[in-house]
Amino acid sequence: MGESTVKSLEGRTAAAPSPISDGGGVRARLRAPRRPRIWFEILLIGVSYWTYSLIRNAVPEQKAQALKNADWIWDVEKSLGLAFEQTVNHAVNSVTWLIVSMNYYYATLHFVVTIGVLVWLYRWQPGRYAASRTVLFATTGVALVGYYLYPLAPPRLMNGQSFVDTVLVHHTWGSMASGNLKHMSNQYAAMPSMHIGWSLWCGLTIFALASAPWARILGLLYPAATLVVIVATANHFWLDAVGGMICLAFGFAVSYFWYGALPQRLPKLVETAAPVAQGGPPPEAETDRARASSKVSSGT
């Protein structure tokens, strides 16, 4: 039961798996690591980011509630004795070259490093690319729920506090959260921080998969530096970073459920399907071995 028989080239009967018993099915084929297609990945990333931006910015800017939530977060951090954002913001802002560098860091590396890691995975770790990309996409997707359910003003927009909006003060470009570009982005979507979610994804991916020790060290330093930057520029509370970590954990859970393993546990390379599996003739070497085996078993 569950198996059919087919005639081999030597006239012998061999067992062939039936569609019912192979245990694969559509889901198994979708889960199997495969070589990513560049055109599909570029299209997917572009459409996904456009959708993410559209949904994030379409969420009503609930200013009053966002400011109220910011006051609550600030009070919680004070009660924990960990309300250090204002101190860091003022200290770093007093060093012009440092805060300007951080402004550009905040505006650019969030995208540059993330895209760079995706390209690295695509080129040198194709067997792990899809699972790693799934982590990133699931992390970003669940963040949208946070933006909708918990509008939050960043520290720089709080009332009655002396946080410095470093982009406005130092006239740096690139931030969608300040200056003339602020009208293009929802200003009250600070929880969770995707700067942390994405940078931690980059850091953990590099640490787990890179072979060079210096690259693994940089992988760990990148999200740590990002945490300092988002606090120093008054774009996030440190609790926003915790929200980003929770979203990333969710992303890993989704990827694990679908692929049955963490990305680093999957094969590095994707094996090319054998001709037999594609319906073509068996490789010549396999045919020769089958003939030799047939001769030995028949006593010739």
Side-chain angles (χ1 to χ4, degrees):
M1 296 293 291
E3 290 187 343
S4 59
T5 57
V6 296
K7 287 287 185 177
S8 68
L9 293 177
E10 296 298 317
R12 293 180 175 273
T13 300
S18 72
I20 297 177
S21 64
D22 84 353
V26 175
R27 184 180 177 187
R29 288 194 295 272
L30 291 174
R31 292 172 63 178
R34 65 189 67 189
R35 181 169 294 279
R37 299 177 180 179
I38 183 65
W39 65 266
F40 175 79
E41 294 304 325
I42 292 175
L43 179 64
L44 180 62
I45 292 172
V47 170
S48 297
Y49 183 73
W50 176 80
T51 304
Y52 165 77
S53 299
L54 184 66
I55 295 175
R56 181 181 186 273
N57 297 335
V59 174
E61 292 191 4
Q62 305 174 53
K63 181 177 180 179
Q65 186 60 46
L67 290 171
K68 182 179 179 180
N69 289 341
D71 289 335
W72 185 84
I73 289 285
W74 190 234
D75 289 340
V76 168
E77 292 188 353
K78 285 181 178 179
S79 68
L80 295 173
L82 295 173
F84 51 77
E85 289 91 341
Q86 195 171 86
T87 301
V88 174
N89 175 235
H90 288 186
V92 177
N93 185 65
S94 65
V95 184
T96 302
W97 68 266
L98 181 58
I99 193 59
V100 168
S101 298
M102 287 189 174
N103 284 342
Y104 287 127
Y105 180 115
Y106 184 87
T108 60
L109 292 193
H110 179 52
F111 302 103
V112 172
V113 176
T114 304
I115 293 173
V117 173
L118 283 170
V119 171
W120 173 65
L121 288 169
Y122 178 89
R123 177 63 180 83
W124 284 282
Q125 309 268 344
R128 296 158 177 162
Y129 173 85
S132 298
R133 181 245 290 144
T134 298
V135 174
L136 185 65
F137 279 32
T139 298
T140 307
V142 76
L144 293 173
V145 179
Y147 299 147
Y148 183 84
L149 296 178
Y150 197 78
L152 180 68
R156 60 187 175 77
L157 293 182
M158 290 179 68
N159 294 326
Q161 304 297 332
S162 59
F163 284 99
V164 178
D165 189 330
T166 59
V167 171
L168 287 179
V169 170
H170 298 282
H171 307 289
T172 49
W173 56 265
S175 175
M176 297 292 288
S178 299
N180 295 329
L181 296 176
K182 67 181 180 181
H183 301 295
M184 299 174 60
S185 179
N186 184 359
Q187 296 298 287
Y188 304 103
M191 172 68 83
S193 168
M194 280 299 93
H195 271 75
I196 290 299
W198 289 14
S199 67
L200 189 57
W201 173 82
C202 292
L204 292 177
T205 299
I206 293 171
F207 180 77
L209 301 180
S211 56
W214 62 266
R216 301 181 70 191
I217 293 173
L218 286 178
L220 294 181
L221 290 177
Y222 176 53
T226 301
L227 176 60
V228 174
V229 168
I230 67 172
V231 170
T233 56
N235 279 295
H236 288 282
F237 298 98
W238 66 265
L239 278 175
D240 299 343
V242 174
M245 294 175 189
I246 293 173
C247 289
L248 182 63
F250 173 83
F252 273 109
V254 170
S255 181
Y256 183 87
F257 171 78
W258 184 253
Y259 291 97
L262 293 174
Q264 64 266 27
R265 298 294 184 184
L266 295 173
K268 177 180 179 180
L269 303 177
V270 180
E271 294 183 2
T272 303
V276 173
Q278 298 174 349
E284 187 64 28
E286 293 295 330
T287 303
D288 292 342
R289 283 197 292 269
R291 289 172 178 169
S293 176
S294 176
K295 290 178 181 180
V296 170
S297 61
S298 62
T300 59

